[in-house]
Amino acid sequence: ALEYMISSTGNDPAPDPDADPSNTDDNGTTVVGGACDGGISSPPVTVTINSEPTNDGNTDPNTPDPSHNLTVDFGMFEPLCIGDLVWFDADNSGTVNGGEYGINGVLLNLYRDVNGNNTFEPGGADGASIANTTTAQVGGVDGSYSFCSVPKGSYFIQVPNTEFQAGDLLYLFGSSTADNNPETTLTEDDDNGTDGGNAGTNGIASVFPVTLAVRTEPTADNNTNDNGRRDASTNQMVDLGLFAQMDYGDLPTSYNKTIFGENGPRHPNTGLILGTLWDADNDGQESAAANGDDTATATTTKMVSPSTLPPGVPVRVV
């Protein structure tokens, strides 16, 4: 009957029923170690004649009220989970496809929609984040994340703007432009985030809060991150796609740093390019001669004479 349920944690450490004779609080704590490991136990209760609490709700006329203790209560709740993917959306399609891959090491924050207005207001009405985690490989899938042991309520997922500053792995990246509502578009591996036009300023947050409730969540999602929770009490469909036009070039094969996941040298399309075409393939065609994507149909940036640059533009050649 208690499968998937755990001891209430709202008033931890659980009060001693001898010292706090409240009849409406949780007195249970999860047991760690020993023969009862994983079970739930109260602190020891001392029962003596004519010295027990009389406000414990006793209605038995055959039992003297001050000689029993009915205040030892156990609160139970079923924790919920929300997740589960941050990935490099190379073609900005808003869905995981082809050889696209998850991104490890990305910080995520969990916020509660405190006032229920469906608007993300970090530091304001929604206060501070209530939990954080970092993406990692789970079940062979890079970029995975999950917030578990979450009570029912409405939540936003956020990648903070500190992840998009100069020198960071996500510098000059932003949200995929799909911006699907995770409450109405129940699709695995689609983009549910928005950066409000600038991830460096706003970070990326889920477009709409996800409302979690026991045994009402989608069961067609990825179960790898459920952490042993009931499938119908987890929502693993809140995914964030990241996209930017970055040129990783075609360095020699021996250099081996020409794709996003290797955090190699790259440059963004800022409007000024040294050449006539922009190489926006994001995958870097390595070759010994550094000409792996120099084909007739490739969009490769080629060097040009400085005389063709606009006047007054500073240039650094390295």
Side-chain angles (χ1 to χ4, degrees):
L2 299 181
E3 185 180 15
Y4 299 109
M5 304 191 79
I6 64 176
S7 177
S8 300
T9 58
N11 64 341
D12 280 354
D16 183 343
D18 274 342
D20 180 12
S22 171
N23 196 35
T24 59
D25 62 351
D26 169 50
N27 302 119
T29 300
T30 301
V31 178
V32 178
C36 296
D37 183 44
I40 298 174
S41 173
S42 72
V45 181
T46 302
V47 181
T48 57
I49 296 175
N50 293 325
S51 62
E52 298 306 312
T54 57
N55 60 344
D56 56 4
N58 175 45
T59 58
D60 184 358
N62 299 313
T63 305
D65 192 45
S67 296
H68 65 256
N69 188 330
L70 299 183
T71 69
V72 186
D73 306 316
F74 292 91
M76 310 292 294
F77 85 102
E78 182 170 335
L80 306 167
C81 289
I82 184 172
D84 88 302
L85 180 68
V86 177
W87 92 98
F88 173 43
D89 187 10
D91 61 358
N92 195 25
S93 66
T95 59
V96 177
N97 57 71
E100 294 176 352
Y101 46 85
I103 308 171
N104 295 332
V106 178
L107 174 67
L108 295 108
N109 294 322
L110 180 69
Y111 285 83
R112 189 160 189 163
D113 185 15
V114 175
N115 59 6
N117 67 349
N118 300 329
T119 301
F120 186 46
E121 301 165 298
D126 293 336
S129 62
I130 59 174
N132 60 73
T133 190
T134 302
T135 57
Q137 185 181 96
V138 177
V141 179
D142 289 327
S144 299
Y145 78 93
S146 186
F147 292 98
C148 281
S149 298
V150 177
K152 67 179 182 178
S154 295
Y155 298 91
F156 288 99
I157 302 295
Q158 180 212 39
V159 180
N161 66 350
T162 52
E163 296 291 280
F164 299 92
Q165 305 307 307
D168 294 328
L169 179 62
L170 303 182
Y171 179 51
L172 295 173
F173 274 69
S175 175
S176 301
T177 54
D179 297 352
N180 294 307
N181 185 332
E183 279 287 272
T184 58
T185 307
L186 298 180
T187 303
E188 185 74 280
D189 296 340
D190 67 336
D191 174 50
N192 303 124
T194 179
D195 59 18
N198 189 327
T201 300
N202 306 314
I204 294 177
S206 47
V207 174
F208 201 81
V210 175
T211 300
L212 298 178
V214 174
R215 306 181 192 184
T216 64
E217 300 307 313
T219 56
D221 55 355
N222 172 26
N223 298 326
T224 305
N225 274 341
D226 285 356
N227 288 281
R229 310 305 187 202
R230 188 193 307 270
D231 188 20
S233 293
T234 67
N235 186 328
Q236 304 290 0
M237 289 187 171
V238 188
D239 306 319
L240 304 177
L242 303 180
F243 170 78
Q245 289 189 329
M246 304 289 287
D247 183 8
Y248 283 81
D250 49 11
L251 290 166
T253 306
S254 59
Y255 191 77
N256 196 32
K257 279 186 176 292
T258 65
I259 65 173
F260 175 76
E262 295 165 343
N263 198 22
R266 70 270 196 187
H267 60 276
N269 184 355
T270 58
L272 173 64
I273 60 175
L274 296 179
T276 58
L277 296 172
W278 167 253
D279 181 6
D281 56 17
N282 285 296
D283 59 4
Q285 303 298 311
E286 298 173 349
S287 69
N291 61 358
D293 53 11
D294 289 343
T295 65
T297 58
T299 54
T300 302
T301 303
K302 301 180 185 302
M303 294 296 293
V304 298
S305 169
S307 63
T308 65
L309 293 171
V313 176
V315 175
R316 182 184 181 189
V317 178
V318 294

